[in-house]
Amino acid sequence: MAKYLSLQDSRAQRQKLMQLYIKQIPVEGRPLLAGDHTNWPRPDAVTLLQEDL
């Protein structure tokens, strides 16, 4: 039973992740939402901040 509980504890908490994403959306101006499905590296791209939950 302890193994299953530890696996469940290691899953990302969707609600906390969503709150983190929402905090990083600018509130002024129009947000620019874009997706890129290519495998080309984009080292200068703006990304979400690296934060621990």
Side-chain angles (χ1 to χ4, degrees):
M1 184 70 163
K3 292 178 187 177
Y4 295 110
L5 291 175
S6 63
L7 284 174
Q8 186 175 1
D9 287 343
S10 67
R11 292 183 187 158
Q13 297 177 7
R14 293 181 77 180
Q15 191 65 28
K16 285 187 178 181
L17 282 174
M18 190 56 67
Q19 290 172 2
L20 177 64
Y21 297 152
I22 290 171
K23 279 197 262 181
Q24 295 184 44
I25 296 174
V27 292
E28 37 199 60
R30 278 181 118 169
L32 174 64
L33 305 175
D36 185 0
H37 66 280
T38 63
N39 60 356
W40 292 96
R42 309 253 192 280
D44 296 329
V46 176
T47 59
L48 294 175
L49 299 174
Q50 295 290 327
E51 292 187 18
D52 294 329
L53 296 178

